[in-house]
Amino acid sequence: MSTREITYLEAIREALQQAMHADERVFLIGEDIGVYGGAFGVTRGLLDEFGSERVIDTPISEAGIAGACIGAALTGMRPVGEIQFMDFVTLSMEQLVLQAAKLRYMFGGKATVPFVLRTPGGAGTGAAAQHSESLENWFVHVPGLKVVMPSTPYDAKGLLLAAIKDDNPVIFVEHKLLYRTKGPVPTEMYEVPLSRSEVKREGRHLTVVATSLMVQRALEAAETLAQEGVELEVIDPRTLKPLDARPIINSVIKTGKLLVVHEAVKTGGFGGEVVAVIAGSDAFDYLDAPILRLAGADVPIPYNRTLEYHAVPQVENIVETARRLAGGEV
Amino acid sequence: MATLKVWNMDKTHILQTHGRDWLYKMMLIRHFEETAEQLYASGKVHGTMHLSAGQEASAVGTIAPLRPSDYILSTHRGHGHCLAKGGTPARMMAEFLGKNTGYCRGRGGSMHIADLETGNLGANGIVGGGVPIAVGVGLSIKMRRTDQVVVVFFGDGAANEGAFHESLNMASIWNLPVIYVCENNRYAMSMPVTRSMKVERISQRAAAYGIPGVTVDGQDVLAVFEAASQAVHRARAGEGPTLIENLTYRYKGHSKSDQQAYRTREEVKEWQTKRDPITKLRDRMIQAGSLTAEEAATMDQQAAEEIVRAVEFAEDSPEPDPANLLMGVYA
């Protein structure tokens, strides 16, 4: 398998392209994904390659996009829908939560609804409160949905290919600030299994569980702290639901300390779930400090650059909190 | 503006060919609904239900032109649709009683009955919930290059949901083989259509999508069949969707909590005595000499007995095992 450096965005595009070549049931549907190439350019070139029947531009109809994915999935296709900004999933919620997630169960386990809904979340682009949300935990709360959040180009491609093959509705949350980040990605098709947490960096002093962009920030923080002799173990759940908790539990048993970092607002966020899982696990007896969360402030994302910067965790926030926690100051 | 191609059908011939089948199916639906109500009254039903007594012609006449391989998407008032598409009363009744032998193994209940084998993609507890899904079914049919069609049923209430607009617009721009069938029973729970929309006919809204829209006497199964046949023909030919409005009436309340303060007993009585779809078809066939009153009575008796057997099957069936509570959440 040959590997080269490509961006997270290119990795996603390559996964779509290869999945469409491999399986004629796979098609793309969303707003401005054709000629425009998607608001962030993820699907650029795919219209030329696959034609307008498999790269379908829709009217501005987010409920319709979700419904189209559900109906096509129910009848033998494997759609990949795109919601242009994660904020706009609010306009598809009924279809995703009350239909996609529940059809299989309500029908006694008979139906399968295999589709992926890709959507970019996250702040940092100056897009303000209605184009910067991180709403993943809404979906984590819904039985029947899977929620995936890749943090690297390698994971983005492998997880997307696994999600397309999965027989359940998968909410695939990309991050706008990760689109231009680069990393090694094999040219061939491969899958990163869903529900498999990964230790991104080993360390013995403190476990940091982070998602999406925060994985990269946690790794940067770990680099800084390593120079001070503080070793962070950084774990990326990659699939938030269903969560693979064992690697996190094992890590906390080893380090005795846990910090959870995510960009979504803290109250009701995914961090609370991780904390509860650890508090109720066999890692509890090994804890020798309070568990901490670093997360987005409970605020709509502000427009102003400085305010926006302070609304979500930055590398220095992780460094500072991890240093205090690892140093026994908490 | 697009109009539906209307051709004259040989009504006598159609009735001779299909009349008995339709009459029996409508009787079966009526007995199912009345039995469901009795079961509820006797405390044997855990949840709620939405009965379609009075609307049988819309279900039977719309589904009659469909093939077994065609799809339907149904509503919360969906018992009739399921039976008309070929569903088994016993498995429906078992689902209604929450039994493991029901269509959904007791997980769905009345509001979520689905029978994928007969192309019934499910009743739906959300008003208008199935309407956007129809776009995807239509797309899938088109991409798989079959000549299937999908009928999506919804009520007058759903025509005021935003998703209705998104769905009709998408299906029309892509010429999808979707037949939108609005069962206008005059009330969205308690809200009369006269107060919930400015247009007189829901079918007028088809003009906004450049597709044909027709309003039909939904109590006349033959009229329903004619409009549906023409819409199905149009859809199969790749000419796109049609919006059909079947004017109908529900005899029972919206659900079990309904005190029916929004309509008079006289109004209900009038529909039952003057516009009942079963009586209408039966009388017409008797007049045409293709059925005798005795034969009709026998058919009705047979339908009643089929429902009695369905109830027996349901009552004798096992409850789901709580050990399997989570079964079916994920594939």
Side-chain angles (χ1 to χ4, degrees), chain A residues 27 53 56-57 59 61-64 67-68 71-72 75 77 94-95 98-99 104-108 110-111 144-145 167-168 241, chain B residues 71 103-105 107-108 112 114 121-122 124 126 129 132-133 136-137 140 143-145 166 169-170 173-174 325 327-331:
Chain A
F27 71 94
E53 197 182 55
I56 304 173
D57 270 328
S61 300
E62 288 79 10
T75 53
M77 303 298 285
E94 185 277 320
Q95 287 290 306
L98 301 183
Q99 309 294 340
R104 179 177 178 79
Y105 189 81
M106 291 192 305
F107 296 172
K110 285 181 300 190
L145 296 179
D167 276 336
N168 298 284
K241 170 106 176 224
Chain B
Y71 299 108
Y103 269 120
C104 309
R105 299 192 176 105
R107 269 72 171 176
H112 304 300
L121 300 177
N124 209 305
I126 302 302
I133 297 175
V137 179
S140 152
M143 295 172 86
R144 287 185 285 110
R145 295 188 176 22
E166 294 191 18
N169 186 53
M170 288 166 93
I173 57 174
W174 297 328
L325 171 69
M327 189 187 74
V329 177
Y330 290 99

Short mmCIF file of all heavy atoms in Angstrom, two decimals, chain A residues 27 53 56-57 59 61-64 67-68 71-72 75 77 94-95 98-99 104-108 110-111 144-145 167-168 241, chain B residues 71 103-105 107-108 112 114 121-122 124 126 129 132-133 136-137 140 143-145 166 169-170 173-174 325 327-331:
data_model
loop_
_atom_site.label_atom_id
_atom_site.label_comp_id
_atom_site.label_asym_id
_atom_site.label_seq_id
_atom_site.Cartn_x
_atom_site.Cartn_y
_atom_site.Cartn_z
N PHE A 27 -24.25 7.32 -3.75
CA PHE A 27 -24.36 8.59 -4.46
C PHE A 27 -24.32 9.74 -3.47
O PHE A 27 -24.47 9.53 -2.26
CB PHE A 27 -25.65 8.62 -5.31
CG PHE A 27 -26.93 8.71 -4.54
CD1 PHE A 27 -27.54 9.94 -4.28
CD2 PHE A 27 -27.56 7.55 -4.09
CE1 PHE A 27 -28.74 10.01 -3.57
CE2 PHE A 27 -28.77 7.63 -3.38
CZ PHE A 27 -29.36 8.86 -3.13
N GLU A 53 -26.36 12.49 -12.01
CA GLU A 53 -27.27 11.54 -11.37
C GLU A 53 -26.70 11.01 -10.06
O GLU A 53 -27.44 10.60 -9.17
CB GLU A 53 -27.58 10.37 -12.31
CG GLU A 53 -28.83 9.63 -11.85
CD GLU A 53 -29.18 8.44 -12.70
OE1 GLU A 53 -28.30 7.57 -12.87
OE2 GLU A 53 -30.32 8.36 -13.18
N ILE A 56 -25.75 14.92 -6.73
CA ILE A 56 -27.02 15.61 -6.91
C ILE A 56 -27.08 16.92 -6.13
O ILE A 56 -27.05 16.93 -4.90
CB ILE A 56 -28.18 14.69 -6.47
CG1 ILE A 56 -28.12 13.35 -7.24
CG2 ILE A 56 -29.52 15.39 -6.69
CD1 ILE A 56 -29.12 12.33 -6.74
N ASP A 57 -27.14 18.01 -6.88
CA ASP A 57 -27.36 19.32 -6.26
C ASP A 57 -28.83 19.44 -5.88
O ASP A 57 -29.70 19.18 -6.71
CB ASP A 57 -27.05 20.42 -7.29
CG ASP A 57 -25.60 20.86 -7.26
OD1 ASP A 57 -24.99 20.81 -6.17
OD2 ASP A 57 -25.09 21.25 -8.32
N PRO A 59 -32.13 21.77 -4.05
CA PRO A 59 -32.56 23.09 -3.57
C PRO A 59 -32.16 23.24 -2.09
O PRO A 59 -31.70 22.28 -1.47
CB PRO A 59 -34.09 23.04 -3.71
CG PRO A 59 -34.40 21.84 -4.53
CD PRO A 59 -33.26 20.90 -4.38
N SER A 61 -32.95 22.73 0.93
CA SER A 61 -34.02 21.93 1.55
C SER A 61 -33.39 20.86 2.44
O SER A 61 -33.26 19.71 2.05
CB SER A 61 -34.86 21.25 0.46
OG SER A 61 -35.47 22.20 -0.38
N GLU A 62 -33.01 21.26 3.64
CA GLU A 62 -32.26 20.32 4.49
C GLU A 62 -33.11 19.14 4.95
O GLU A 62 -32.60 18.02 5.08
CB GLU A 62 -31.66 21.04 5.70
CG GLU A 62 -30.48 21.96 5.35
CD GLU A 62 -30.92 23.30 4.78
OE1 GLU A 62 -32.13 23.62 4.81
OE2 GLU A 62 -30.03 24.06 4.30
N ALA A 63 -34.39 19.37 5.22
CA ALA A 63 -35.25 18.24 5.58
C ALA A 63 -35.40 17.32 4.38
O ALA A 63 -35.42 16.09 4.52
CB ALA A 63 -36.62 18.74 6.05
N GLY A 64 -35.48 17.92 3.21
CA GLY A 64 -35.59 17.15 1.98
C GLY A 64 -34.34 16.31 1.73
O GLY A 64 -34.43 15.17 1.28
N GLY A 67 -34.50 13.46 4.14
CA GLY A 67 -35.55 12.54 3.71
C GLY A 67 -35.13 11.75 2.49
O GLY A 67 -35.39 10.55 2.38
N ALA A 68 -34.44 12.42 1.57
CA ALA A 68 -33.96 11.74 0.36
C ALA A 68 -32.99 10.63 0.73
O ALA A 68 -33.03 9.54 0.16
CB ALA A 68 -33.31 12.74 -0.58
N GLY A 71 -35.14 7.70 2.41
CA GLY A 71 -35.96 6.94 1.46
C GLY A 71 -35.12 6.10 0.52
O GLY A 71 -35.45 4.95 0.21
N ALA A 72 -34.00 6.67 0.06
CA ALA A 72 -33.13 5.92 -0.85
C ALA A 72 -32.46 4.76 -0.11
O ALA A 72 -32.34 3.66 -0.63
CB ALA A 72 -32.09 6.86 -1.46
N THR A 75 -34.60 1.73 0.42
CA THR A 75 -34.96 0.97 -0.77
C THR A 75 -33.72 0.56 -1.58
O THR A 75 -33.78 0.48 -2.80
CB THR A 75 -35.93 1.77 -1.66
OG1 THR A 75 -35.38 3.07 -1.92
CG2 THR A 75 -37.27 1.96 -0.98
N MET A 77 -30.34 1.84 -1.71
CA MET A 77 -29.18 2.65 -2.09
C MET A 77 -28.34 2.96 -0.85
O MET A 77 -28.72 2.65 0.27
CB MET A 77 -29.66 3.95 -2.74
CG MET A 77 -30.54 3.76 -3.97
SD MET A 77 -29.73 2.90 -5.34
CE MET A 77 -28.66 4.22 -5.96
N GLU A 94 -36.00 16.59 12.44
CA GLU A 94 -37.13 15.66 12.50
C GLU A 94 -36.81 14.40 11.70
O GLU A 94 -36.98 13.28 12.19
CB GLU A 94 -38.41 16.33 11.97
CG GLU A 94 -39.66 15.47 12.10
CD GLU A 94 -39.84 14.45 10.98
OE1 GLU A 94 -39.58 14.77 9.81
OE2 GLU A 94 -40.24 13.31 11.28
N GLN A 95 -36.33 14.59 10.48
CA GLN A 95 -36.03 13.43 9.64
C GLN A 95 -34.92 12.58 10.24
O GLN A 95 -34.98 11.35 10.18
CB GLN A 95 -35.64 13.91 8.23
CG GLN A 95 -36.83 14.43 7.43
CD GLN A 95 -37.79 13.34 7.02
OE1 GLN A 95 -37.43 12.35 6.42
NE2 GLN A 95 -39.06 13.49 7.38
N LEU A 98 -36.33 11.53 14.32
CA LEU A 98 -37.58 10.79 14.46
C LEU A 98 -37.78 9.75 13.38
O LEU A 98 -38.60 8.85 13.53
CB LEU A 98 -38.77 11.77 14.45
CG LEU A 98 -38.74 12.82 15.56
CD1 LEU A 98 -39.99 13.69 15.50
CD2 LEU A 98 -38.61 12.19 16.92
N GLN A 99 -37.07 9.89 12.28
CA GLN A 99 -37.22 8.91 11.18
C GLN A 99 -35.97 8.04 11.08
O GLN A 99 -36.02 6.86 11.41
CB GLN A 99 -37.51 9.62 9.85
CG GLN A 99 -38.65 10.64 9.89
CD GLN A 99 -40.02 10.04 10.15
OE1 GLN A 99 -40.24 8.86 9.97
NE2 GLN A 99 -40.95 10.85 10.63
N ARG A 104 -35.66 1.54 11.93
CA ARG A 104 -35.31 0.13 12.09
C ARG A 104 -35.94 -0.46 13.36
O ARG A 104 -36.56 -1.51 13.31
CB ARG A 104 -33.79 -0.03 12.15
CG ARG A 104 -33.37 -1.47 12.33
CD ARG A 104 -31.86 -1.63 12.32
NE ARG A 104 -31.51 -3.02 12.53
CZ ARG A 104 -31.56 -3.96 11.59
NH1 ARG A 104 -31.94 -3.63 10.39
NH2 ARG A 104 -31.24 -5.20 11.87
N TYR A 105 -35.81 0.25 14.44
CA TYR A 105 -36.34 -0.28 15.71
C TYR A 105 -37.87 -0.33 15.69
O TYR A 105 -38.49 -1.33 16.05
CB TYR A 105 -35.87 0.58 16.89
CG TYR A 105 -36.22 -0.06 18.22
CD1 TYR A 105 -35.42 -1.07 18.74
CD2 TYR A 105 -37.34 0.34 18.94
CE1 TYR A 105 -35.74 -1.68 19.94
CE2 TYR A 105 -37.67 -0.26 20.14
CZ TYR A 105 -36.86 -1.27 20.64
OH TYR A 105 -37.17 -1.88 21.83
N MET A 106 -38.48 0.75 15.22
CA MET A 106 -39.95 0.81 15.19
C MET A 106 -40.54 -0.30 14.32
O MET A 106 -41.65 -0.73 14.56
CB MET A 106 -40.43 2.16 14.65
CG MET A 106 -40.15 3.33 15.56
SD MET A 106 -41.03 4.83 15.06
CE MET A 106 -40.51 5.05 13.37
N PHE A 107 -39.77 -0.69 13.30
CA PHE A 107 -40.26 -1.73 12.40
C PHE A 107 -39.81 -3.12 12.86
O PHE A 107 -39.83 -4.07 12.08
CB PHE A 107 -39.77 -1.47 10.97
CG PHE A 107 -40.29 -0.21 10.33
CD1 PHE A 107 -39.79 0.23 9.11
CD2 PHE A 107 -41.27 0.56 10.95
CE1 PHE A 107 -40.27 1.41 8.53
CE2 PHE A 107 -41.75 1.74 10.38
CZ PHE A 107 -41.24 2.16 9.16
N GLY A 108 -39.41 -3.22 14.10
CA GLY A 108 -39.07 -4.54 14.65
C GLY A 108 -37.76 -5.10 14.13
O GLY A 108 -37.57 -6.32 14.09
N LYS A 110 -36.54 -4.79 11.07
CA LYS A 110 -36.60 -5.27 9.69
C LYS A 110 -35.87 -4.36 8.71
O LYS A 110 -35.21 -4.83 7.79
CB LYS A 110 -38.05 -5.42 9.24
CG LYS A 110 -38.73 -6.63 9.86
CD LYS A 110 -40.16 -6.76 9.39
CE LYS A 110 -40.99 -5.55 9.76
NZ LYS A 110 -42.42 -5.72 9.54
N ALA A 111 -36.04 -3.07 8.87
CA ALA A 111 -35.49 -2.14 7.87
C ALA A 111 -34.02 -1.85 8.15
O ALA A 111 -33.57 -1.89 9.29
CB ALA A 111 -36.28 -0.83 7.92
N GLY A 144 -29.85 4.69 17.79
CA GLY A 144 -30.10 4.38 16.38
C GLY A 144 -29.16 5.12 15.44
O GLY A 144 -28.98 4.72 14.31
N LEU A 145 -28.59 6.24 15.93
CA LEU A 145 -27.62 6.97 15.11
C LEU A 145 -26.22 6.60 15.57
O LEU A 145 -25.99 6.30 16.74
CB LEU A 145 -27.79 8.48 15.27
CG LEU A 145 -29.10 9.10 14.80
CD1 LEU A 145 -29.09 10.60 15.07
CD2 LEU A 145 -29.35 8.81 13.32
N ASP A 167 -24.45 -0.35 8.01
CA ASP A 167 -25.88 -0.45 7.69
C ASP A 167 -26.76 0.48 8.52
O ASP A 167 -27.98 0.34 8.54
CB ASP A 167 -26.35 -1.90 7.85
CG ASP A 167 -26.07 -2.71 6.59
OD1 ASP A 167 -25.95 -2.11 5.51
OD2 ASP A 167 -25.94 -3.94 6.70
N ASN A 168 -26.15 1.42 9.22
CA ASN A 168 -26.92 2.35 10.06
C ASN A 168 -26.73 3.78 9.57
O ASN A 168 -25.77 4.08 8.88
CB ASN A 168 -26.41 2.26 11.51
CG ASN A 168 -26.60 0.88 12.08
OD1 ASN A 168 -27.70 0.48 12.45
ND2 ASN A 168 -25.52 0.10 12.13
N LYS A 241 -20.43 7.66 19.22
CA LYS A 241 -21.53 6.76 19.53
C LYS A 241 -21.61 5.69 18.47
O LYS A 241 -21.67 6.03 17.28
CB LYS A 241 -22.83 7.56 19.57
CG LYS A 241 -24.10 6.72 19.66
CD LYS A 241 -24.67 6.80 21.01
CE LYS A 241 -25.98 6.06 21.08
NZ LYS A 241 -27.01 6.77 21.78
N TYR B 71 -44.18 0.91 -3.95
CA TYR B 71 -44.07 1.27 -2.52
C TYR B 71 -45.21 2.17 -2.08
O TYR B 71 -45.75 2.93 -2.88
CB TYR B 71 -42.78 2.04 -2.27
CG TYR B 71 -41.51 1.29 -2.59
CD1 TYR B 71 -40.74 1.64 -3.71
CD2 TYR B 71 -41.06 0.27 -1.78
CE1 TYR B 71 -39.56 0.98 -3.99
CE2 TYR B 71 -39.87 -0.41 -2.05
CZ TYR B 71 -39.13 -0.04 -3.17
OH TYR B 71 -37.96 -0.69 -3.45
N TYR B 103 -46.17 -7.18 13.13
CA TYR B 103 -45.29 -6.74 12.04
C TYR B 103 -43.99 -6.14 12.56
O TYR B 103 -42.96 -6.22 11.90
CB TYR B 103 -46.01 -5.72 11.16
CG TYR B 103 -46.74 -6.37 10.01
CD1 TYR B 103 -48.11 -6.23 9.86
CD2 TYR B 103 -46.04 -7.14 9.08
CE1 TYR B 103 -48.78 -6.83 8.80
CE2 TYR B 103 -46.70 -7.74 8.02
CZ TYR B 103 -48.07 -7.59 7.88
OH TYR B 103 -48.70 -8.19 6.83
N CYS B 104 -44.04 -5.52 13.71
CA CYS B 104 -42.84 -4.86 14.25
C CYS B 104 -42.42 -5.48 15.57
O CYS B 104 -41.79 -4.82 16.38
CB CYS B 104 -43.10 -3.37 14.41
SG CYS B 104 -43.77 -2.58 12.94
N ARG B 105 -42.81 -6.72 15.78
CA ARG B 105 -42.47 -7.44 17.01
C ARG B 105 -42.87 -6.65 18.26
O ARG B 105 -42.18 -6.66 19.27
CB ARG B 105 -40.97 -7.74 17.05
CG ARG B 105 -40.50 -8.63 15.90
CD ARG B 105 -39.09 -9.14 16.15
NE ARG B 105 -38.67 -10.05 15.12
CZ ARG B 105 -37.81 -9.73 14.15
NH1 ARG B 105 -37.28 -8.53 14.10
NH2 ARG B 105 -37.46 -10.62 13.25
N ARG B 107 -42.72 -3.58 18.78
CA ARG B 107 -41.91 -2.37 19.04
C ARG B 107 -42.57 -1.10 18.48
O ARG B 107 -42.22 0.01 18.87
CB ARG B 107 -40.53 -2.49 18.38
CG ARG B 107 -39.45 -3.09 19.25
CD ARG B 107 -39.67 -4.56 19.45
NE ARG B 107 -38.53 -5.18 20.10
CZ ARG B 107 -38.53 -6.46 20.46
NH1 ARG B 107 -39.58 -7.23 20.28
NH2 ARG B 107 -37.46 -6.98 21.05
N GLY B 108 -43.46 -1.27 17.52
CA GLY B 108 -43.97 -0.09 16.83
C GLY B 108 -45.38 0.29 17.23
O GLY B 108 -45.68 1.45 17.46
N HIS B 112 -46.80 2.64 13.78
CA HIS B 112 -45.55 2.38 13.04
C HIS B 112 -45.57 1.07 12.27
O HIS B 112 -44.52 0.52 11.95
CB HIS B 112 -44.37 2.41 14.02
CG HIS B 112 -44.29 3.70 14.76
ND1 HIS B 112 -44.14 4.91 14.11
CD2 HIS B 112 -44.41 3.99 16.07
CE1 HIS B 112 -44.15 5.88 15.01
NE2 HIS B 112 -44.33 5.35 16.20
N ALA B 114 -45.26 -1.46 9.60
CA ALA B 114 -44.60 -1.49 8.29
C ALA B 114 -44.57 -2.93 7.83
O ALA B 114 -44.45 -3.84 8.64
CB ALA B 114 -43.18 -0.95 8.40
N LEU B 121 -43.64 0.89 3.35
CA LEU B 121 -42.46 1.40 4.05
C LEU B 121 -42.83 2.06 5.38
O LEU B 121 -42.03 2.76 5.97
CB LEU B 121 -41.72 2.39 3.15
CG LEU B 121 -41.21 1.81 1.83
CD1 LEU B 121 -40.55 2.88 0.98
CD2 LEU B 121 -40.25 0.65 2.06
N GLY B 122 -44.04 1.83 5.81
CA GLY B 122 -44.34 2.19 7.17
C GLY B 122 -45.34 3.31 7.37
O GLY B 122 -45.38 4.29 6.63
N ASN B 124 -46.49 6.31 10.03
CA ASN B 124 -45.59 7.31 10.58
C ASN B 124 -46.30 8.13 11.65
O ASN B 124 -47.39 8.63 11.42
CB ASN B 124 -45.08 8.21 9.46
CG ASN B 124 -43.72 8.76 9.77
OD1 ASN B 124 -43.53 9.38 10.82
ND2 ASN B 124 -42.77 8.51 8.90
N ILE B 126 -45.36 10.94 12.80
CA ILE B 126 -45.15 12.38 12.64
C ILE B 126 -45.96 12.86 11.44
O ILE B 126 -45.84 12.32 10.34
CB ILE B 126 -43.65 12.69 12.41
CG1 ILE B 126 -42.82 12.15 13.58
CG2 ILE B 126 -43.42 14.19 12.23
CD1 ILE B 126 -43.19 12.68 14.94
N GLY B 129 -44.28 13.19 8.20
CA GLY B 129 -42.96 12.57 8.37
C GLY B 129 -42.51 11.75 7.18
O GLY B 129 -41.32 11.68 6.88
N PRO B 132 -41.00 13.77 3.07
CA PRO B 132 -39.64 13.92 2.51
C PRO B 132 -39.01 12.57 2.15
O PRO B 132 -38.20 12.51 1.22
CB PRO B 132 -38.84 14.57 3.64
CG PRO B 132 -39.85 15.14 4.57
CD PRO B 132 -41.07 14.28 4.46
N ILE B 133 -39.38 11.52 2.84
CA ILE B 133 -38.80 10.20 2.57
C ILE B 133 -39.19 9.74 1.15
O ILE B 133 -38.42 9.05 0.47
CB ILE B 133 -39.24 9.18 3.64
CG1 ILE B 133 -38.70 9.61 5.02
CG2 ILE B 133 -38.77 7.77 3.30
CD1 ILE B 133 -39.18 8.76 6.18
N GLY B 136 -36.62 10.34 -1.51
CA GLY B 136 -35.54 9.37 -1.56
C GLY B 136 -35.96 8.07 -2.22
O GLY B 136 -35.19 7.46 -2.98
N VAL B 137 -37.19 7.65 -1.94
CA VAL B 137 -37.69 6.43 -2.58
C VAL B 137 -37.79 6.65 -4.09
O VAL B 137 -37.37 5.81 -4.89
CB VAL B 137 -39.04 6.00 -1.98
CG1 VAL B 137 -39.55 4.74 -2.67
CG2 VAL B 137 -38.93 5.78 -0.47
N SER B 140 -34.33 6.68 -5.60
CA SER B 140 -33.78 5.32 -5.63
C SER B 140 -34.37 4.52 -6.79
O SER B 140 -33.66 3.82 -7.51
CB SER B 140 -34.07 4.66 -4.27
OG SER B 140 -34.17 3.28 -4.36
N MET B 143 -32.75 5.78 -9.93
CA MET B 143 -31.35 5.38 -10.07
C MET B 143 -31.20 3.89 -10.30
O MET B 143 -30.27 3.45 -10.96
CB MET B 143 -30.57 5.83 -8.83
CG MET B 143 -30.52 7.33 -8.70
SD MET B 143 -29.81 7.88 -7.15
CE MET B 143 -28.10 7.87 -7.59
N ARG B 144 -32.12 3.11 -9.75
CA ARG B 144 -32.07 1.66 -9.97
C ARG B 144 -32.72 1.28 -11.30
O ARG B 144 -32.74 0.12 -11.67
CB ARG B 144 -32.75 0.93 -8.80
CG ARG B 144 -31.93 0.96 -7.52
CD ARG B 144 -32.56 0.13 -6.40
NE ARG B 144 -33.71 0.79 -5.81
CZ ARG B 144 -34.97 0.38 -5.94
NH1 ARG B 144 -35.27 -0.69 -6.65
NH2 ARG B 144 -35.95 1.05 -5.37
N ARG B 145 -33.26 2.29 -11.97
CA ARG B 145 -33.86 2.09 -13.30
C ARG B 145 -34.93 0.99 -13.33
O ARG B 145 -35.01 0.17 -14.23
CB ARG B 145 -32.78 1.79 -14.33
CG ARG B 145 -31.84 3.00 -14.52
CD ARG B 145 -30.89 2.82 -15.65
NE ARG B 145 -30.02 3.94 -15.96
CZ ARG B 145 -29.61 4.96 -15.20
NH1 ARG B 145 -30.06 5.08 -13.97
NH2 ARG B 145 -28.80 5.88 -15.63
N GLU B 166 -40.78 21.21 0.61
CA GLU B 166 -39.47 20.72 0.18
C GLU B 166 -39.62 19.47 -0.68
O GLU B 166 -38.97 19.30 -1.70
CB GLU B 166 -38.58 20.42 1.40
CG GLU B 166 -38.21 21.67 2.18
CD GLU B 166 -37.13 21.45 3.23
OE1 GLU B 166 -36.40 20.43 3.15
OE2 GLU B 166 -37.00 22.30 4.13
N ASN B 169 -41.39 20.04 -4.13
CA ASN B 169 -40.49 20.78 -5.01
C ASN B 169 -39.39 19.87 -5.56
O ASN B 169 -39.11 19.86 -6.76
CB ASN B 169 -39.88 21.96 -4.25
CG ASN B 169 -39.04 22.84 -5.14
OD1 ASN B 169 -39.50 23.29 -6.18
ND2 ASN B 169 -37.80 23.07 -4.75
N MET B 170 -38.77 19.10 -4.69
CA MET B 170 -37.67 18.23 -5.13
C MET B 170 -38.18 17.16 -6.09
O MET B 170 -37.58 16.88 -7.13
CB MET B 170 -36.97 17.60 -3.91
CG MET B 170 -36.14 18.61 -3.13
SD MET B 170 -35.64 18.01 -1.49
CE MET B 170 -34.05 17.31 -1.86
N ILE B 173 -38.91 18.85 -9.55
CA ILE B 173 -37.77 19.27 -10.40
C ILE B 173 -37.04 18.05 -10.97
O ILE B 173 -36.45 18.14 -12.04
CB ILE B 173 -36.76 20.19 -9.66
CG1 ILE B 173 -36.23 19.53 -8.39
CG2 ILE B 173 -37.37 21.55 -9.36
CD1 ILE B 173 -35.12 20.33 -7.70
N TRP B 174 -37.11 16.92 -10.27
CA TRP B 174 -36.42 15.73 -10.75
C TRP B 174 -37.35 14.72 -11.43
O TRP B 174 -36.94 13.61 -11.73
CB TRP B 174 -35.68 15.04 -9.59
CG TRP B 174 -34.59 15.91 -9.01
CD1 TRP B 174 -33.83 16.84 -9.67
CD2 TRP B 174 -34.15 15.95 -7.64
NE1 TRP B 174 -32.95 17.44 -8.80
CE2 TRP B 174 -33.12 16.92 -7.55
CE3 TRP B 174 -34.52 15.27 -6.48
CZ2 TRP B 174 -32.45 17.21 -6.36
CZ3 TRP B 174 -33.86 15.55 -5.29
CH2 TRP B 174 -32.84 16.51 -5.23
N LEU B 325 -34.98 -6.21 24.60
CA LEU B 325 -35.37 -4.79 24.55
C LEU B 325 -34.59 -4.00 23.50
O LEU B 325 -35.14 -3.20 22.76
CB LEU B 325 -35.15 -4.15 25.93
CG LEU B 325 -35.30 -2.62 26.01
CD1 LEU B 325 -36.75 -2.20 25.81
CD2 LEU B 325 -34.79 -2.11 27.35
N MET B 327 -32.92 -5.11 20.90
CA MET B 327 -32.81 -5.71 19.57
C MET B 327 -33.36 -4.78 18.49
O MET B 327 -34.48 -4.31 18.60
CB MET B 327 -33.59 -7.03 19.56
CG MET B 327 -33.38 -7.86 18.32
SD MET B 327 -34.52 -9.27 18.36
CE MET B 327 -36.05 -8.46 17.96
N GLY B 328 -32.56 -4.52 17.48
CA GLY B 328 -33.05 -3.73 16.36
C GLY B 328 -32.72 -2.25 16.42
O GLY B 328 -33.08 -1.50 15.52
N VAL B 329 -32.04 -1.80 17.49
CA VAL B 329 -31.66 -0.39 17.53
C VAL B 329 -30.61 -0.12 16.44
O VAL B 329 -30.69 0.86 15.71
CB VAL B 329 -31.09 0.01 18.91
CG1 VAL B 329 -30.63 1.47 18.89
CG2 VAL B 329 -32.13 -0.20 20.00
N TYR B 330 -29.65 -1.05 16.36
CA TYR B 330 -28.62 -0.95 15.32
C TYR B 330 -28.63 -2.20 14.47
O TYR B 330 -28.95 -3.29 14.95
CB TYR B 330 -27.23 -0.76 15.94
CG TYR B 330 -27.05 0.59 16.57
CD1 TYR B 330 -27.20 0.75 17.95
CD2 TYR B 330 -26.78 1.71 15.80
CE1 TYR B 330 -27.05 2.00 18.54
CE2 TYR B 330 -26.65 2.96 16.38
CZ TYR B 330 -26.78 3.11 17.75
OH TYR B 330 -26.64 4.35 18.31
N ALA B 331 -28.26 -2.04 13.21
CA ALA B 331 -28.15 -3.19 12.31
C ALA B 331 -26.86 -3.93 12.62
O ALA B 331 -25.89 -3.34 13.06
CB ALA B 331 -28.15 -2.72 10.87
#
